[in-house]
Amino acid sequence: MSQGIQVVGLYVRDQDEALEFYVEKLGFRVHTDVRNGDYRWLTVQHPDQPSFQLGLFKPGPPVLDEATAQTVRAMVAKGAMPPLVLSVDNCRAAYDRMLARGVEFTQEPVDRFGTVDAGFRDPSGNGWKMIEAGR
Amino acid sequence: MSGVPAPQDPDLLRRLLRAKDRMDAASHEAWPVARLAQVSGVSEAHFARSFKQAFGVPPHRYLLTRRIERATALLRDTDQPITDIAFQTGWESLGTFGRTFRDITGESPRAVRERARAVAQDPGRVPACILGAAHRPDLTIAVSEKRRQEAGDITRPHPKEV
């Protein structure tokens, strides 16, 4: 596929911390990690989804002025950013695995009409739903 | 002193979010300020003020709205007795539940349940095949009537309709 969405970015408070979380705790892989001065372009990938990258970006200069960056940091920390959804084969197994690795869950797995979903946050405050679709 | 409070530290906000998440996950449990403050790692006095600044409502009121939200869903979606719903959503007495429910929603729990059931009986829920039959256009009669009129036109011309 040559057309489609390639990168969607999240704002994170600390890129090293985010990298550790998405790679070590969620099992993603680093796609690109390049620096240019203080700026760092960092993207990760789900191992089953090679055409999509999740960007882990730190709000701040030179892209955002300091006052705007502060507002963005507050929004992320308050959980005010849009929802994210991770699709899994087995929600309960993924929950057990991630919990053992120290992921902060906001909702234990719940059965809803054949689908099972749980909720967790990344260290910055971005909220994820983890959903196992019904068979 | 300025009217605009100083911006809150993102690390503090992240810890306040943890307290909000915990209330969301277990709104039926008791959440005294001491417990919430401990989740957020701040003093009790600091917690209530900081939470309100961050999320726009005091922590206790936030908890009540989450409980009412959950009770409303149970009133609508289940046949559980109202007393059971009150205790299940975290109230210690039916009286407090009813009073708080009315204060927040402007209606009694029973009224909300009755209205939900009335809505459930509106034509929108009638099975599509039955609704289709009831609203089927009266085509046969219209066609035959039309043909009769057309036949009449041929044998007995009458003034054009205006």
Side-chain angles (χ1 to χ4, degrees):
Chain A
M1 190 189 70
S2 57
Q3 299 189 91
I5 298 172
Q6 188 181 34
V7 180
V8 172
L10 300 181
Y11 279 127
V12 298
R13 64 183 181 186
D14 181 303
Q15 287 175 302
D16 288 332
E17 177 189 59
L19 181 64
E20 196 268 339
F21 177 82
Y22 284 97
V23 173
E24 304 300 327
K25 292 188 164 66
L26 260 57
F28 288 24
R29 295 175 188 149
V30 176
H31 180 280
T32 306
D33 187 358
V34 293
R35 291 164 198 261
N36 188 343
D38 286 341
Y39 186 74
R40 182 179 181 188
W41 175 269
L42 171 64
T43 70
V44 294
Q45 273 191 324
H46 189 282
D48 295 350
Q49 218 171 7
S51 70
F52 182 82
Q53 298 167 56
L54 185 67
L56 305 173
F57 305 126
K58 190 173 159 67
V63 180
L64 299 179
D65 64 275
E66 187 45 42
T68 304
Q70 190 170 30
T71 304
V72 172
R73 282 195 289 270
M75 285 179 65
V76 173
K78 283 201 259 189
M81 300 308 268
L84 301 157
V85 179
L86 184 68
S87 169
V88 291
D89 288 340
N90 185 328
C91 186
R92 289 175 205 283
Y95 170 81
D96 290 341
R97 195 170 56 241
M98 288 160 60
L99 194 64
R101 290 177 190 164
V103 172
E104 179 182 346
F105 275 88
T106 52
Q107 181 212 303
E108 292 176 9
V110 173
D111 232 302
R112 291 183 225 266
F113 310 107
T115 71
V116 186
D117 65 75
F120 64 92
R121 287 196 192 279
D122 76 6
S124 303
N126 291 297
W128 285 86
K129 275 280 177 191
M130 178 163 76
I131 301 179
E132 169 191 340
R135 284 152 229 267
Chain B
M1 199 171 133
S2 160
V4 180
Q8 292 174 287
D9 172 24
D11 288 340
L12 169 65
L13 292 170
R14 181 66 183 88
R15 286 183 280 122
L16 294 170
L17 175 63
R18 199 159 287 141
K20 185 166 170 271
D21 281 342
R22 294 282 297 274
M23 283 194 275
D24 287 340
S27 63
H28 60 286
E29 291 182 13
W31 288 100
V33 169
R35 187 182 179 194
L36 293 166
Q38 196 180 12
V39 170
S40 292
V42 296
S43 73
E44 288 181 41
H46 194 41
F47 178 82
R49 198 173 57 239
S50 304
F51 187 96
K52 180 165 189 281
Q53 191 187 336
F55 301 114
V57 286
H60 184 63
R61 198 187 308 163
Y62 179 75
L63 179 65
L64 293 187
T65 59
R66 290 313 310 261
R67 286 182 177 177
I68 295 298
E69 193 182 308
R70 194 154 160 260
T72 304
L74 291 170
L75 287 166
R76 209 175 40 218
D77 303 339
T78 74
D79 290 323
Q80 291 181 53
I82 290 174
T83 311
D84 291 2
I85 291 174
F87 291 119
Q88 200 184 322
T89 53
W91 270 274
E92 285 170 11
S93 88
L94 191 58
T96 313
F97 169 62
R99 214 161 37 243
T100 313
F101 194 95
R102 267 191 304 277
D103 287 347
I104 292 181
T105 68
E107 290 182 285
S108 71
R110 191 168 308 282
V112 165
R113 170 163 275 177
E114 280 165 8
R115 194 160 41 79
R117 292 200 172 148
V119 169
Q121 285 164 4
D122 81 5
R125 298 292 179 90
V126 176
C129 56
I130 295 173
L131 194 65
H135 290 181
R136 197 166 291 155
D138 218 354
L139 190 61
T140 315
I141 292 167
V143 168
S144 60
E145 175 70 6
K146 195 180 173 196
R147 281 180 183 155
R148 193 186 59 76
Q149 285 179 354
E150 280 169 357
D153 282 348
I154 292 163
T155 54
R156 187 173 49 80
H158 59 260
K160 217 176 219 174
E161 281 181 15
V162 289

